[in-house]
Amino acid sequence: MPSTTRKPRIDPARWQPPPVDPLPDPPQADLTVIPVTGNAPEDVVVDADGHIWTGVDDGRIVRISPNSGETTVVADTGGRPLGLHVARDGRLLICDSPRGLLAMDTSTGKIDTLVDGVDNRKLRFCSNVTETDDGTIYFTESTSAFTYAHSVAAVLEARGRGSLFRRDPDGTVLTLVPGLYFANGLTLTSDASALVFAELQARRLMKYWLTGPNAGTVTPLVQNLPGMPDNLSTGADGRIWCAFFTPANATADRLAQGPPLIRKLIWRLPSWLQPGPETVVWVAAFDPDTGKAVAGLRTEHPEFGQVTGMVEADGRLWMACLGFPAVAHCPIP
């Protein structure tokens, strides 16, 4: 993720990466790739009318016709739109770095700021968002130290600077779970009993319980994932879809355990000299209760890869990615 801005300093910590537990080999799939207006559509959601929505790296919010593939630019956040969610009032909730949590009227493109700061500081890397039926909004921040433009810095630091937050209908914002290792994907279980959130660097999916005897606590759903989990979504049957941005990297894991100075030196290198992610099309779905893998796909495509988001819509699985100026879809695996 290259940046033209001056690099901030990093403060790496020695960190013990999790082991890797392989997942069952998923089938390949025939992808239909749809070019979009702009590069690296990071997330993808579907509204009540069946339109597909995404946000690209120059700030534009794009609506896609699911049948024709026609794209329409509806708004510009002025930042970098990341995770999206269609709110119960029809507005599009947008996590933007560095603008914060936004809400957009999908008919006019008018954008309102819902949250631009937490704990007496500015939000820097708002990552993903979801909403419950009572209007409570939950959102993640990947790191409090860097913006999306310097997301690699957060991984090299290997410090738990991410968080899960709650915004009440009256606008009050509370920190629910601090100390997360690159928090990103977030989705509500189909029975609304819990949130599932992803920690990219810790390579795990966790549940924050909203109801029942575990309410207010965090328990693991899936740990020791073999890839870097990104955005999440909940399927029609309750399964939890997880996008894998790239497979786990043994070299990166060794660096995390080694002297912090080496990672400082790597950070000073030009972006094109730093180790890059592997380009693959990879998603998996997990049982929301047991964490067992129940579906997925893994393949390669010359015009699509580095998947960061997905959503079920009308019998198809739509996917977003960072590696190409396109979204893609295939029959639901």
Side-chain angles (χ1 to χ4, degrees):
M1 304 172 203
S3 171
T4 58
T5 59
R6 184 177 180 181
K7 287 185 176 182
R9 294 182 178 181
I10 66 172
D11 181 24
R14 285 183 184 266
W15 185 64
Q16 180 61 53
V20 171
D21 293 341
L23 294 174
D25 291 333
Q28 296 193 3
D30 291 329
L31 302 185
T32 299
V33 176
I34 298 177
V36 298
T37 307
N39 190 47
E42 203 269 350
D43 198 11
V44 63
V45 294
V46 59
D47 67 17
D49 295 323
H51 296 121
I52 305 299
W53 293 85
T54 192
V56 293
D57 65 359
D58 63 3
R60 289 178 289 176
I61 302 297
V62 181
R63 183 180 65 235
I64 305 169
S65 169
N67 296 320
S68 68
E70 179 183 1
T71 62
T72 304
V73 175
V74 177
D76 189 329
T77 68
R80 197 337 177 177
L82 298 170
L84 307 174
H85 180 76
V86 178
R88 58 191 186 129
D89 63 5
R91 292 189 296 174
L92 186 67
L93 300 179
I94 305 167
C95 288
D96 185 276
S97 177
R99 287 199 57 196
L101 180 62
L102 314 176
M104 186 196 80
D105 186 312
T106 57
S107 60
T108 66
K110 181 179 181 294
I111 293 176
D112 296 314
T113 300
L114 300 183
V115 183
D116 61 3
V118 294
D119 299 333
N120 298 313
R121 64 169 179 84
K122 284 286 189 181
L123 270 176
R124 305 191 73 182
F125 200 149
C126 189
S127 194
N128 211 320
V129 58
T130 193
E131 183 188 37
T132 54
D133 286 343
D134 64 359
T136 302
I137 296 173
Y138 298 87
F139 62 98
T140 57
E141 184 180 37
S142 294
T143 173
S144 60
F146 308 100
T147 65
Y148 171 85
H150 295 117
S151 53
V152 173
V155 176
L156 289 173
E157 272 207 340
R159 291 185 180 274
R161 301 187 193 269
S163 297
L164 172 66
F165 301 103
R166 185 184 80 207
R167 181 188 185 272
D168 293 335
D170 65 3
T172 302
V173 178
L174 298 175
T175 301
L176 298 181
V177 188
L180 302 178
Y181 285 88
F182 208 104
N184 48 11
L186 181 66
T187 192
L188 185 69
T189 58
S190 59
D191 62 1
S193 65
L195 301 165
V196 180
F197 64 87
E199 290 179 86
L200 179 143
Q201 186 155 32
R203 299 201 294 261
R204 62 191 179 191
L205 306 185
M206 307 293 284
K207 295 179 79 169
Y208 178 86
W209 291 91
L210 300 175
T211 63
N214 292 324
T217 66
V218 176
T219 59
L221 178 62
V222 191
Q223 301 189 88
N224 306 333
L225 289 167
M228 312 298 272
D230 210 290
N231 290 327
L232 308 175
S233 65
T234 302
D237 62 354
R239 70 179 89 182
I240 305 298
W241 282 105
C242 175
F244 287 105
F245 170 60
T246 191
N249 184 292
T251 299
D253 285 353
R254 287 193 296 270
L255 286 172
Q257 300 172 71
L261 177 61
I262 295 177
R263 278 171 283 151
K264 285 186 177 182
L265 295 174
I266 291 174
W267 177 236
R268 292 174 185 171
L269 294 172
S271 299
W272 59 275
L273 285 177
Q274 295 174 6
E278 181 181 338
T279 298
V280 64
V281 182
W282 188 12
V283 300
F286 299 94
D287 184 282
D289 299 316
T290 66
K292 179 183 177 182
V294 294
L297 70 90
R298 182 168 179 170
T299 189
E300 295 183 1
H301 195 283
E303 298 174 344
F304 193 77
Q306 299 175 13
V307 181
T308 47
M310 75 267 97
V311 66
E312 292 183 11
D314 194 27
R316 292 180 284 188
L317 187 70
W318 286 79
M319 291 167 281
C321 76
L322 289 187
F324 296 86
V327 297
H329 64 77
C330 67
I332 294 176

